[in-house]
Amino acid sequence: MSECIDAMADALRTLATGGAVLPLRQIVRLADGRNAFGLMPALLDRPSALGAKVITVFPGNDATPYDSHQG
């Protein structure tokens, strides 16, 4: 847990000092207009890191055994 706290502190410090690139999330609506694909990329200069959160949203899945949000 202490390593996680240190990593988060470093990342937030980088964000606060302008060393992060966080573009607006990109949302692609699927053909039916209800379901969506989302992409949230980020880049840090210290610690040097590149990552993305990728998620799909299918609100109609509440009537199925599948979750509505898959990431």
Side-chain angles (χ1 to χ4, degrees):
M1 182 58 103
S2 65
E3 289 177 13
C4 180
I5 291 170
D6 291 342
M8 288 302 302
D10 289 345
L12 292 171
R13 189 175 303 107
T14 297
L15 176 62
T17 59
V21 177
L22 301 167
L24 292 177
R25 73 179 79 182
Q26 299 294 308
I27 303 295
V28 177
R29 293 278 172 195
L30 302 183
D32 64 6
R34 185 171 183 209
N35 301 315
F37 169 83
L39 174 66
M40 293 157 265
L43 173 67
L44 298 177
D45 63 5
R46 288 192 179 271
S48 181
L50 172 67
K53 177 179 180 181
V54 179
I55 188 168
T56 57
V57 180
F58 288 83
N61 277 0
D62 59 349
T64 74
Y66 304 106
D67 291 333
S68 62
H69 293 67
Q70 297 287 328

